[in-house]
Structures are given as C-alpha cells and as structure tokens.
Amino acid sequence: MVDRYYSNSAEALATAKSVFQARYEAASFAYVAGSIMRGEGTYLSDIDLVVIYDHLEAAYRESFVVGDMPIEAFVHDRETLAWFVKDDVSRGRPSILNMIAEGQIIGREYDRAVALRREMSDLLAKGPPPLSSSGLNALRYELTDAVDDLRGNRTLQEVIAIGASLHPRLVELALRGRGHWNGTGKWAPRLLREIDVELADRFDRAFQTLFTNGDVHSVIELVEAELAPHGGTLFDGDCRVAPGSWRVI
C-alpha cells in the first residue's frame, strides 16, 4: 500500500499549477479536476489535468508522479479535443466533458477556457444521444447470452466471472435506456443512485447476492425487468453484418 496522506483541493491545485508551468508552459490553459478537487479524494486519488494548446501534432495522455501526488494529464488542442468529445458523446460516456465542466481553470487564456467549459456544460445538460438500434440490440444480445449462461449449472467461480462481465452492460442499458449518461467502475453505482435510488438498491442487492453465494435469481429478474421496455431478450433473428473492409488481403 502506498503511504500517502489525504491531499486537499488547495494542495492539489497548487501542485497542478506548478506542473502546468514547468511541463506545459506553452499551453494556453488547463482544467484541474478529479475527486480531490471535489472534496471526495482518498489517499490514492490522483489529479486529472486537461491541458489545451493552440496546436499539437497529436493528442496524448500521460501519467506521472510529482512528490507523492499522481497526475493523469490529457493533452489536446481544440481539434483533437473535438474528436474526443465527439467520441465521448457518441458512446454516452462523457469523461472529458465532465473533467472540463467541473475543472478549476489555470493558465493565461482564462476567457477561452471559460467559453470552452460553458460549451461542455451545455453538452452535458443536453444529455447523450439515444441508443442506436444496433447498439441497443447488441446490448440485448449480450445480456441475453449472459443470463442464459447464468441459468446453466455453474460453479461459483463461473457465476462471479459472468456477473462481473454482465454488470457494466446492464448498467449501460439502465442508464442509456433512460436517457442518461453512462459511467463505468465506481461511477456506475453513483450514477444509478443519482437517477433512481430504488433501482440502485436493486442492483446492489442482486449483485451482492450473486457474488456472495452464487444465487443468480435476483440478477436474472433484474436483467429481464431492464430488457422488457426494449423488446426483451434477443437471440433468435439477431444478425450483425461486418464492414466489407474487415478483411486481410
């Protein structure tokens, strides 16, 4: 275990400013974000730093440690940032949008940074695009396949593995199916609880039971309930055609 104290937002901001000046001095501005800046950090939390230049040959992401503070930097110009924003929106997972919308601004071009933050906030408020029919059917098929696997005679180890792969797909259906942004990892339960406390509790109970003693019934019921408004399970008739370019000559 890393021996670190709990940093506060003021310390994190001071570190970020020092890093920005030393490492990205030609950049226009940056956003300092992450759980520490929200006052929710743990001793293992890092600083998220979104750095914006006027022009770069290519965007990049780098991780490093300053003192005892881990920093994850996402380095862009406006054009590369636009590509990643478009990709985030299309996937319904607004990682870079959130960092910019909630981040503390540093750097010399404050007004431009404020305008960009307002743009990201507007996109977040608008919400994600609806799931495409192909995306929805892919989720339905994957969840159907996982539930069918759970119904088999499985060892506890297999049940845990199936449940672990099923959970993020079911969260995605629950969130995107209700018109909300998706999130993975620690964000999954947080976002579920934001939109529906009762639904979040059902997820918690079902998966705790699954992972603790291998009882699959609550998870299967939850999957079926979430699939029902979208046409239910999907196997018979599912067909997905690969692009013609997917071949090696």
Side-chain angles (χ1 to χ4, degrees), residues 8-248:
N8 60 45
S9 59
E11 292 171 322
L13 182 60
T15 299
K17 287 180 177 178
S18 176
V19 167
F20 181 76
Q21 292 167 1
R23 200 173 184 114
Y24 309 107
E25 62 176 343
S28 302
F29 52 88
Y31 303 90
V32 188
S35 57
I36 297 174
M37 299 304 295
R38 294 192 302 272
E40 302 170 352
T42 72
Y43 75 95
L44 289 174
S45 295
D46 60 8
I47 296 172
D48 293 324
L49 187 63
V50 182
V51 182
I52 308 297
Y53 283 81
D54 283 336
H55 176 73
L56 288 174
E57 289 302 313
Y60 63 96
R61 172 178 175 172
E62 60 179 350
S63 301
F64 50 91
V65 178
V66 175
D68 61 358
M69 177 62 67
I71 297 174
E72 192 167 21
F74 306 82
V75 188
H76 291 279
D77 63 20
R78 284 299 301 262
E79 292 178 349
T80 67
L81 178 66
W83 190 96
F84 279 87
V85 167
K86 182 178 179 180
D87 185 61
D88 269 11
V89 170
S90 68
R91 294 184 299 125
R93 288 175 52 186
S95 302
I96 197 79
L97 284 77
N98 277 324
M99 285 188 278
I100 293 174
E102 71 178 22
Q104 175 102 23
I105 297 171
I106 58 176
R108 65 180 184 274
E109 297 192 30
Y110 183 82
D111 289 345
R112 285 181 60 198
V114 169
L116 180 59
R117 184 168 62 185
R118 187 180 304 116
E119 182 182 336
M120 297 301 106
S121 297
D122 289 345
L123 283 174
L124 284 170
K126 184 178 179 181
L131 274 169
S132 66
S133 59
S134 60
L136 176 59
N137 285 341
L139 275 176
R140 290 173 62 202
Y141 182 90
E142 291 165 0
L143 290 169
T144 300
D145 185 58
V147 164
D148 287 345
D149 278 344
L150 286 178
R151 288 193 172 102
N153 186 17
R154 303 292 178 188
T155 66
L156 177 59
Q157 292 81 7
E158 291 172 343
V159 166
I160 290 172
I162 295 166
S165 65
L166 184 157
H167 183 272
R169 292 171 173 83
L170 187 58
V171 170
E172 182 176 5
L173 181 66
L175 292 171
R176 296 294 306 280
R178 290 170 171 80
H180 294 274
W181 294 104
N182 187 31
T184 59
K186 63 190 177 186
W187 284 102
R190 294 177 183 178
L191 292 173
L192 285 172
R193 195 157 294 278
E194 283 181 10
I195 68 164
D196 189 328
V197 173
E198 184 178 347
L199 176 65
D201 287 342
R202 286 192 65 194
F203 266 79
D204 291 346
R205 289 193 299 269
F207 281 93
Q208 284 177 18
T209 302
L210 182 82
F211 292 139
T212 301
N213 58 30
D215 186 341
V216 304
H217 295 94
S218 293
V219 164
I220 290 175
E221 289 177 358
L222 181 59
V223 172
E224 290 176 339
E226 288 301 311
L227 284 172
H230 306 289
T233 57
L234 177 62
F235 179 84
D236 187 25
D238 180 62
C239 178
R240 281 168 271 177
V241 179
S245 60
W246 288 14
R247 65 178 71 237
V248 176

